């Protein structure tokens, strides 16, 4: 293996897989990056005005807990695969390994591009969330003098996107510490904001928090509750970033599954706690939900503290959290594009499938993410239904990309996965495997269908859910690309990827004494 690895690695210097990612990210760093992307508690704060009409407190609180449990099953299913195949391709590499030779190229290609579509749209979502928080801070700070307009918000979005791109290009050496800081910042922010709101504001009663159910959608109560899950599901996507960064982790087979589950747990705990804080403080829903800041959490902070300065400072803290999340999304999207290009699954593989020698990052892939989001961010200047459909599609794309390898596993049987596991494989679901796999697939299948439904009845052109149109356009474009260029896709080069990664880790372990010197747990049998 050593001899073959050396040979392939030297050949790759002149081909589309020139260069490789160096392992530099710890488990804590990956939890920090993943949680910075999830930003679960803040995403829930931003969606307060959307979910309350779809079941009020019952849908908000219990719907979120339900989503956390289902995502733990999905995350555990993916973690089991990441413990065997820790590569930047993540889901589509898993699919390739689990499929039969007849189907592995086509299905893994589709899974890969579904994941890429989700990550590209998530960059837009995170950056606009941040821009909207800064706009809300401007409204509160100016006592209404600042008027929110789409073009102003877009310019703030461009600034955030540019900052995230520059840091990804030139700050790779500090990326680990930066994401550690992002984790601490978000946890400190949720504690500070929660204490501030609870200590200064009026409180509602426990009956409202735990038992109130209000359906203003026009749908049946059960349907309204399911539609309300969209915001909870949106707040929990992005933990698969861990899989796309495994080639930059010293001990990916053991650390990646832990980081995936820890990020969901941290998001679940902070999200549940903050939902309770918001619901107990929601004494005047009409004012909070109808705020001119367009961000109910900002109005909630202002109503509680009665201080514009406090509302501005705490809102800016929220905006910074989403800046950190935007950076993580750019990192993940660029690594996925790099992996797909390395496998010749996109145009110009020799450009997008290379690592810049000096910067040690896939520069072309990062710039492609930047350019894509500059263009598609312009949707914000058009009809709101178009932009909302684009944003909502990221949840469907990412959930589908995560569930599809699990679907393949269930179709072929868990014995297909077990034959790749060894006694040394550090993460296995064992007898709970089928249960976790089935729950994950059913959850994603049901929510994907219902998330394409309009949020309220009667349906008009202004409240229609056009996410199905976004998905349809994606399917048409990708089908055309597969027909014309699909034969070029080679699938993941496991011998190159795993060989180079293990060789790099052996070099690191030789110079670093202690537990990291034992590399047996990272040995993967393909």
């Amino acid at each position: 293996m050593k001899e073959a690895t050396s040979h392939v690695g030297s050949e790759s210097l002149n081909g589309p897989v020139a260069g490789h990612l160096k392992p530099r990210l710890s488990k804590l760093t990956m939890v920090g990056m993943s949680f910075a992307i999830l930003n679960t508690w803040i995403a829930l704060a931003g969606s307060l005005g959307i979910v309350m009409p779809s079941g009020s407190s019952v849908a908000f609180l219990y719907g979120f807990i339900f989503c956390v449990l289902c995502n733990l099953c999905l995350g555990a299913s993916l973690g089991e695969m990441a413990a065997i195949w820790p590569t930047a391709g993540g889901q589509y590499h898993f699919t390739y390994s689990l499929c039969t030779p007849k189907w592995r190229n086509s299905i893994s290609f589709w899974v890969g591009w579904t994941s890429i579509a989700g990550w590209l749209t998530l960059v837009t979502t995170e950056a606009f969330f941040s821009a909207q928080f800064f706009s809300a801070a401007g409204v509160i700070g100016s006592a209404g003098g600042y008027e929110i307009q789409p073009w102003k918000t877009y310019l703030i979005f461009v600034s955030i996107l540019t900052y995230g791109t520059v840091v990804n290009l030139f700050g790779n050496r500090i990326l680990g510490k930066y994401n550690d800081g992002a984790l601490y910042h978000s946890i400190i922010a949720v504690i500070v904001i929660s204490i501030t709101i609870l200590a200064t504001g009026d409180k509602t009663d426990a009956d409202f928090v735990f038992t109130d159910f209000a359906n203003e959608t026009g749908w049946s109560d059960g349907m309204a509750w399911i539609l309300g899950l969209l915001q909870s599901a949106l707040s929990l996507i992005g933990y698969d970033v861990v899989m796309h960064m495994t080639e930059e982790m010293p001990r990916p087979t053991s650390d990646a599954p832990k980081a995936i589950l820890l990020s969901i747990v941290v998001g679940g705990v902070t999200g549940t706690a903050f939902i309770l804080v918001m619901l107990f403080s929601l004494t005047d829903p009409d004012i909070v939900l109808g705020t001119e800041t367009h961000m109910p959490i900002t109005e909630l902070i202002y109503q509680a503290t009665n201080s514009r300065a406090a509302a501005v400072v705490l809102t800016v803290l929220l905006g910074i959290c989403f800046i950190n999340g935007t950076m993580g999304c750019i990192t993940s999207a660029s690594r996925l594009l790099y992996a797909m290009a390395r496998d010749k699954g996109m145009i110009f593989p020799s450009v997008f499938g290379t690592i810049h020698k000096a910067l040690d990052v896939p520069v072309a892939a990062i710039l492609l993410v930047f350019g894509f989001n500059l263009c598609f961010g312009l949707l914000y200047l058009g009809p709101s239904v178009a932009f909302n459909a684009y944003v909502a599609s990221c949840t469907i794309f990412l959930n589908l990309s995560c569930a599809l390898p699990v679907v393949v596993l269930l179709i072929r049987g868990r014995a297909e996965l077990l034959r790749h596991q060894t006694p040394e494989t550090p993460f296995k679901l064992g007898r709970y495997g089928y249960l976790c796999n089935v729950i994950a697939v059913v959850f994603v299948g049901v929510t994907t269908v219902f998330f394409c439904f309009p949020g309220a009845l009667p349906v008009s052109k202004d409240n229609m859910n056009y996410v199905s149109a976004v998905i349809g356009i994606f399917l048409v474009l990708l089908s055309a690309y597969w027909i014309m260029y699909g034969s070029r896709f080679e699938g993941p080069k496991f011998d190159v990827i795993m060989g180079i990664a293990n060789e790099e880790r052996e070099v690191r372990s030789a110079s670093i004494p202690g537990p990291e010197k034992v590399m047996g747990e990272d040995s993967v049998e393909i």
Side-chain angles (χ1 to χ4, degrees):
M1 178 65 181
K2 180 76 74 173
E3 185 176 343
T5 298
S6 176
H7 176 66
V8 176
S10 62
E11 283 188 343
S12 68
L13 293 176
N14 297 317
V17 292
H20 61 277
L21 298 164
K22 297 179 180 178
R24 67 171 86 240
L25 303 175
S26 68
K27 177 173 60 180
L28 176 64
T29 296
M30 289 317 306
V31 173
M33 178 180 287
S34 182
F35 186 61
I37 291 172
L38 269 68
N39 272 319
T40 305
W41 65 279
I42 317 172
L44 292 168
S47 62
L48 180 64
I50 302 174
V51 69
M52 291 301 284
S54 295
S56 191
S57 304
V58 168
F60 202 17
L61 178 59
Y62 303 116
F64 175 72
I65 294 173
F66 172 77
C67 285
V68 170
L69 296 176
C70 291
N71 274 280
L72 281 172
C73 292
L74 182 56
S77 300
L78 295 172
E80 192 176 31
M81 300 178 197
I84 304 173
W85 303 291
T87 70
Q91 299 95 304
Y92 86 84
H93 283 192
F94 304 160
T95 305
Y96 183 91
S97 301
L98 294 170
C99 277
T100 61
K102 178 181 179 180
W103 294 101
R104 60 176 40 154
N105 269 33
S106 57
I107 296 180
S108 63
F109 176 87
W110 279 82
V111 171
W113 274 103
T114 302
S115 181
I116 289 171
W119 277 103
L120 289 174
T121 52
L122 188 56
V123 173
T124 318
T125 304
E126 293 264 355
F128 265 110
F129 256 127
S130 182
Q132 288 167 340
F133 274 117
F134 284 112
S135 297
V139 172
I140 288 291
S142 65
Y146 178 82
E147 182 181 355
I148 296 177
Q149 295 182 344
W151 68 268
K152 294 180 183 178
T153 306
Y154 177 76
L155 291 180
I156 300 173
F157 160 82
V158 171
S159 301
I160 294 166
L161 182 65
T162 302
Y163 171 76
T165 301
V166 169
V167 174
N168 267 276
L169 286 172
F170 302 104
N172 193 46
R173 296 181 186 277
I174 64 168
L175 195 61
K177 296 297 183 183
Y178 193 105
N179 284 293
D180 291 349
L183 174 63
Y184 300 141
H185 172 88
S186 187
I187 292 177
I188 291 172
V190 68
I191 293 173
V192 170
I193 294 175
S194 297
I195 292 175
T196 301
I197 293 175
L198 291 175
T200 59
D202 296 330
K203 309 295 182 299
T204 188
D205 57 80
D207 285 343
F208 171 78
V209 174
F210 295 106
T211 63
D212 185 69
F213 184 89
N215 177 10
E216 302 174 15
T217 65
W219 291 103
S220 65
D221 289 348
M223 183 69 171
W225 189 83
I226 293 176
L227 294 176
L229 293 179
L230 175 60
Q231 305 310 316
S232 296
L234 176 62
S235 71
L236 290 165
I237 58 174
Y239 51 81
D240 60 303
V241 63
V242 176
M243 297 181 294
H244 309 311
M245 305 300 293
T246 48
E247 293 177 36
E248 298 170 65
M249 299 172 67
R251 293 182 299 275
T253 57
S254 59
D255 285 353
K258 295 175 186 175
I260 291 171
L261 294 178
L262 279 172
S263 61
I264 299 173
V265 169
V266 174
V269 171
T270 56
T272 302
F274 201 65
I275 286 175
L276 292 173
V277 170
M278 289 189 291
L279 291 178
F280 271 112
S281 304
L282 195 61
T283 56
D284 197 338
D286 291 337
I287 293 179
V288 171
L289 301 181
T291 176
E292 62 180 2
T293 67
H294 300 169
M295 300 303 288
I297 185 60
T298 298
E299 185 66 31
L300 189 64
I301 295 171
Y302 177 59
Q303 293 294 327
T305 61
N306 199 29
S307 169
R308 294 190 181 276
V312 168
V313 170
L314 297 181
T315 301
V316 168
L317 285 180
L318 298 172
I320 293 173
C321 286
F322 274 108
I323 290 179
N324 297 334
T326 302
M327 281 184 47
C329 289
I330 294 172
T331 305
S332 183
S334 65
R335 299 314 190 262
L336 251 176
L337 286 167
Y338 157 75
M340 182 59 78
R342 184 174 61 186
D343 298 335
K344 295 185 179 179
M346 64 179 295
I347 58 174
F348 308 123
S350 60
V351 175
F352 297 110
T354 57
I355 302 296
H356 191 280
K357 185 176 181 180
L359 298 177
D360 195 25
V361 294
V363 170
I366 292 173
L367 292 178
L368 179 59
V369 175
F370 177 74
F372 176 92
N373 277 275
L374 276 183
C375 295
F376 279 82
L378 292 170
L379 286 172
Y380 192 78
L381 304 179
S384 60
V385 290
F387 183 76
N388 291 339
Y390 173 82
V391 168
S393 69
C394 72
T395 304
I396 294 177
F397 283 135
L398 286 177
N399 278 341
L400 278 176
S401 72
C402 290
L404 285 173
V406 186
V407 171
V408 173
L409 177 60
L410 287 175
I411 292 174
R412 299 213 64 200
R414 283 187 55 81
E416 185 64 26
L417 181 69
L418 297 180
R419 74 183 185 88
H420 291 286
Q421 293 179 339
T422 69
E424 290 75 31
T425 302
F427 186 82
K428 305 174 185 177
L429 292 177
R431 60 180 178 176
Y432 300 106
Y434 268 117
L435 178 62
C436 288
N437 297 160
V438 170
I439 291 175
V441 169
V442 172
F443 169 71
V444 174
V446 171
T447 54
T448 297
V449 171
F450 284 103
F451 289 172
C452 294
F453 280 56
L457 295 177
V459 179
S460 67
K461 63 181 180 65
D462 295 324
N463 70 352
M464 177 61 185
N465 185 350
Y466 292 96
V467 69
S468 55
V470 175
I471 296 173
I473 293 171
F474 166 77
L475 293 176
V476 170
L477 293 176
L478 194 58
S479 297
Y481 182 86
W482 174 253
I483 292 171
M484 291 186 291
Y485 300 106
S487 59
R488 300 180 181 181
F489 181 60
E490 299 177 347
K493 304 173 182 66
F494 283 117
D495 55 345
V496 177
I497 301 166
M498 303 300 293
I500 289 177
N502 286 334
E503 191 173 273
E504 180 74 26
R505 291 176 191 116
E506 287 174 9
V507 172
R508 282 176 60 86
S509 67
S511 60
I512 302 175
E516 292 189 4
K517 199 163 186 175
V518 181
M519 300 306 296
E521 66 178 10
D522 287 328
S523 300
V524 179
E525 183 179 322
I526 302 299

